[in-house]
Amino acid sequence: LEEVVIEDAFGPVHFYLLPFTKPGYVRHLFEEKTVTDYDSAVKCLIEREKIDENVRNVIIAHQFFVNGDQEPEKSDSELTYISVGGLDKVDVSCLERFDYAALGHIHKPQKVKKEYIRYCGTPLKYSVSEEHHKKGILMVTMGEKGTPNQYETIPLSMEPDVRSIRGTLKEVIAQADDDNRNDYVSITLTDEEIFRPKDQLEEHYPHILEVKIDNRKMQAVLTEDTEEDLV
C-alpha cells in the first residue's frame, strides 16, 4: 500500500491508499495458498503494513466491503461490476484497526458496521434506481487520537436530475414544465390503448431513458409467462 503522511495540530495522520485489488495481483507476494480470494488478498496486504495503532490511520479503498452476511445497499448501475455469487466480497473486519475508512465502489452513501467505516457514495446519479439518493460530499473532521470523528454531508444537487414518472400519456405530458423537462426520465405509461408514445413524449422530454407500458394487457402477458415458467 502507498502511505502518505500529513501533519496537523494533533500530529501525523497516516493515509494508506489501496486501489482495487484482485487475488491474482498479489498472490505472488505471499506464501503459497495464503491468498485464495479477494478477502484474504486485502487482509494480507493490510497485515503486511504493520500499522502503528497508536497514531491516527486512514485507509482509502475501492473494494466490495461487507459486514458478514450483510451487504451494503446497491443500485442497478452497480450490478454490472459486482460478481455473481459475491466472490469479490471482503469482510469489513480488516478495517476496524483504522480511525477512518473512506470507501468507494458503492453508489449510495452508507456506513458499514462501524460509524467510521463509510462508503461516501457517488456525486452523481448513474441509474433511475438512484433517484432518491441524497448525493453529497462527506466531510470528516478528525481530532486527536481516540476521539470520535465529526461528520458533515455537504449536499450536491443534480441538474438535470434523474427521476421516474408514472401515469397516462396525457398525465405525464402535463407534468412537463421548464423546471423539469430536461431531466433524465424513466416513464411508465398506464394507458390501455396507445400509439407511438415516445414520439409524443420526446416533444416534452428530450432526455428519455426508457418508456415502459404497464396496463392490463401487459400484466396479463406477464402472468401467462410466469405460469409457463412454473409448469
Side-chain angles (χ1 to χ4, degrees), residues 6-211:
I6 297 176
E7 296 270 350
D8 69 2
F10 302 106
V13 182
H14 296 251
F15 291 85
Y16 292 90
L17 313 183
L18 174 63
F20 181 75
T21 300
K22 294 183 178 182
Y25 296 169
V26 300
R27 188 173 286 124
H28 65 282
L29 300 174
F30 303 97
E31 293 183 11
E32 188 176 355
K33 297 183 180 180
T34 301
V35 173
T36 57
D37 53 16
Y38 282 80
D39 186 68
S40 56
V42 172
K43 286 181 178 177
C44 285
L45 283 175
I46 291 175
E47 289 172 2
R48 190 179 66 157
E49 294 299 318
K50 298 187 180 350
I51 294 167
D52 181 1
E53 297 187 32
N54 294 311
V55 299
R56 292 171 298 167
N57 299 294
V58 175
I59 188 166
I60 302 171
H62 196 99
Q63 301 284 151
F64 183 33
F65 288 101
V66 300
N67 176 23
D69 294 332
Q70 295 181 330
E71 295 188 4
E73 185 176 339
K74 302 183 292 292
S75 58
D76 291 346
S77 50
E78 291 151 307
L79 299 180
T80 56
Y81 60 77
I82 291 178
S83 69
V84 177
L87 297 177
D88 53 354
K89 292 180 182 177
V90 179
D91 193 89
V92 76
S93 59
C94 64
L95 305 181
E96 293 185 23
R97 67 184 65 185
F98 293 93
D99 298 281
Y100 183 68
L103 308 182
H105 206 54
I106 299 299
H107 292 194
K108 182 177 180 179
Q110 54 196 289
K111 294 173 284 189
V112 187
K113 190 177 181 178
K114 301 285 187 178
E115 186 77 12
Y116 57 87
I117 303 175
R118 298 193 180 207
Y119 289 105
C120 62
T122 55
L124 300 177
K125 301 176 183 179
Y126 291 101
S127 72
V128 180
S129 63
E130 299 180 37
E131 68 171 312
H132 299 302
H133 286 192
K134 302 298 183 185
K135 301 296 188 180
I137 297 171
L138 180 63
M139 183 168 70
V140 183
T141 302
M142 302 183 72
E144 60 184 323
K145 178 72 177 183
T147 61
N149 301 326
Q150 302 298 314
Y151 305 97
E152 178 186 355
T153 299
I154 302 170
L156 294 173
S157 61
M158 191 168 167
E159 296 181 8
D161 204 349
V162 176
R163 61 192 180 91
S164 58
I165 314 172
R166 180 184 177 89
T168 64
L169 178 62
K170 184 177 180 180
E171 291 169 342
V172 170
I173 289 175
Q175 293 181 42
D177 57 36
D178 291 340
D179 292 331
N180 66 26
R181 70 174 69 250
N182 288 312
D183 288 347
Y184 294 94
V185 292
S186 168
I187 298 173
T188 301
L189 297 175
T190 58
D191 304 77
E192 292 302 324
E193 299 292 336
I194 193 169
F195 178 70
R196 301 184 69 175
K198 192 170 183 181
D199 292 344
Q200 301 176 63
L201 291 166
E202 284 178 335
E203 296 179 13
H204 304 274
Y205 297 98
H207 304 306
I208 296 175
L209 300 174
E210 59 184 352
V211 177

Side-chain angles (χ1 to χ4, degrees), residues 166 188-194 212-222:
R166 180 184 177 89
T188 301
L189 297 175
T190 58
D191 304 77
E192 292 302 324
E193 299 292 336
I194 193 169
K212 298 182 288 187
I213 306 297
D214 185 10
N215 54 25
R216 286 195 296 270
K217 184 185 298 183
M218 184 61 65
Q219 290 171 3
V221 170
L222 293 174

